């Protein structure tokens, strides 16, 4: 089946650091990639939708200058959490879709800001 | 009202039991529906799509009721390995507007 690779799986860093998370579709071309955030015991919350070659569409309440998304190719999207603070600590998951009706998820990145 | 609502549970059932989850959605224009399974601290994995006519995959049966705007998931003969959180997902407009329910936690006990 379709595979989405997300890297890194775990990040621990100091407050003020910028963190980049990569999301790759390994065996299909992802026309659209999504970035989600999940806090403990809560569901996934969509942060932004990213279409290849165009600017990401951010959900209400998500700061686009804080969470930089780049979707440079049909197989790669990156999320950069700029100047991360402890409240940014969360589980970040990307997903990708082509022309099928389901999304395929990466393994997630657990971000801990000290 | 939330766009997608699920009973958070937890549902604690013995092995072999039959358990059912419901999920309601608010947008009548919703086009496609899915159940995902999420294990603790892991990413969601697609369990099954939900078709208008209802569909079955082994011990799992999914149904859609558009008139009442809910979908259901039935698990028969529960296994210990079925313990997970089950997420209801509704796709409002093609693939660019998927909304997740909060998830229903299931624990199957020996």
């Amino acid at each position: 089946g379709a595979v989405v690779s997300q890297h890194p799986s775990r990040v621990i860093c100091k407050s003020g650091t910028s963190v980049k998370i990569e999301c790759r579709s390994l065996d299909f071309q992802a026309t659209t990639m999504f970035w989600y955030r999940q806090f403990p015991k809560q569901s996934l919350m969509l942060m932004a939708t990213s279409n290849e070659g165009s600017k990401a569409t951010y959900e209400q309440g998500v700061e686009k200058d804080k969470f930089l998304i780049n979707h440079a190719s049909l197989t790669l999207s990156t999320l950069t959490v700029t100047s991360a603070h402890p409240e940014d600590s969360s589980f970040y998951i990307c997903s990708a879709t082509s022309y099928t009706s389901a999304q395929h998820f990466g393994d997630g990145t657990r971000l801990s800001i000290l | 009202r939330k766009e997608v609502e699920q009973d958070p549970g937890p549902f604690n059932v013995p092995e072999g039991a039959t358990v059912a989850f419901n999920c309601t959605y608010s947008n009548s224009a919703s086009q496609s529906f899915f159940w995902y399974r999420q294990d603790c601290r892991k990413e969601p994995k697609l369990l099954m799509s939900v078709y208008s006519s209802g569909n079955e995959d082994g011990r799992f049966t999914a149904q859609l009721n558009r008139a009442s705007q809910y979908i259901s998931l039935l698990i028969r003969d529960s296994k210990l390995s079925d313990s997970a959180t089950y997420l209801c997902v509704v796709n409002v407009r093609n693939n660019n507007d998927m909304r997740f329910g909060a998830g229903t936690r299931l624990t199957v006990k020996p």
Side-chain angles (χ1 to χ4, degrees):
Chain A
V3 177
V4 175
S5 172
Q6 188 173 339
H7 177 80
S9 59
R10 185 85 165 97
V11 180
I12 302 173
C13 56
K14 294 180 179 180
S15 183
T17 306
S18 291
V19 179
K20 180 187 276 190
I21 304 170
E22 291 189 350
C23 181
R24 294 180 184 273
S25 58
L26 298 184
D27 56 358
F28 68 101
Q29 292 186 325
T31 52
T32 306
M33 287 187 170
F34 305 86
W35 288 96
Y36 295 86
R37 181 167 51 182
Q38 187 176 33
F39 292 106
K41 298 185 179 181
Q42 296 185 26
S43 185
L44 298 175
M45 294 298 296
L46 180 63
M47 298 175 66
T49 301
S50 169
N51 293 298
E52 184 266 338
S54 62
K55 290 184 179 180
T57 301
Y58 289 81
E59 294 297 300
Q60 192 172 13
V62 178
E63 300 175 57
K64 61 181 180 181
D65 295 329
K66 171 81 172 173
F67 299 98
L68 301 179
I69 292 173
N70 183 281
H71 193 162
S73 74
L74 284 170
T75 59
L76 174 64
S77 177
T78 60
L79 167 68
T80 302
V81 183
T82 61
S83 187
H85 292 286
E87 58 266 28
D88 298 323
S89 298
S90 187
F91 189 49
Y92 293 85
I93 306 178
C94 73
S95 71
T97 184
S98 57
Y99 296 107
T100 60
S101 57
Q103 295 184 13
H104 303 280
F105 287 86
D107 292 339
T109 297
R110 193 159 299 281
L111 176 62
S112 299
I113 307 297
L114 306 177
Chain B
R1 182 186 173 188
K2 292 182 181 178
E3 291 180 319
V4 180
E5 292 201 69
Q6 290 181 253
D7 181 345
F11 284 66
N12 298 309
V13 302
E15 268 188 293
T18 296
V19 61
F21 310 135
N22 280 338
C23 167
T24 59
Y25 59 95
S26 61
N27 192 325
S28 59
S30 299
Q31 296 181 355
S32 49
F33 311 87
F34 310 89
W35 283 101
Y36 279 77
R37 170 197 168 124
Q38 186 174 26
D39 292 291
C40 189
R41 300 172 73 87
K42 296 286 185 63
E43 78 283 11
K45 293 186 185 296
L46 179 64
L47 179 65
M48 57 196 307
S49 302
V50 186
Y51 303 124
S52 297
S53 55
N55 49 301
E56 186 174 312
D57 182 2
R59 297 181 293 108
F60 299 85
T61 301
Q63 291 192 315
L64 166 64
N65 185 317
R66 284 191 183 273
S68 300
Q69 294 183 201
Y70 77 83
I71 66 172
S72 64
L73 176 68
L74 180 78
I75 305 175
R76 290 181 298 278
D77 189 23
S78 300
K79 310 291 184 191
L80 295 177
S81 56
D82 293 334
S83 297
T85 296
Y86 291 84
L87 299 169
C88 165
V89 181
V90 175
N91 197 351
V92 178
R93 292 190 308 273
N94 57 52
N95 288 322
N96 287 340
D97 203 1
M98 292 185 77
R99 301 295 171 181
F100 286 78
T104 298
R105 177 85 185 126
L106 170 67
T107 301
V108 181
K109 299 185 175 180

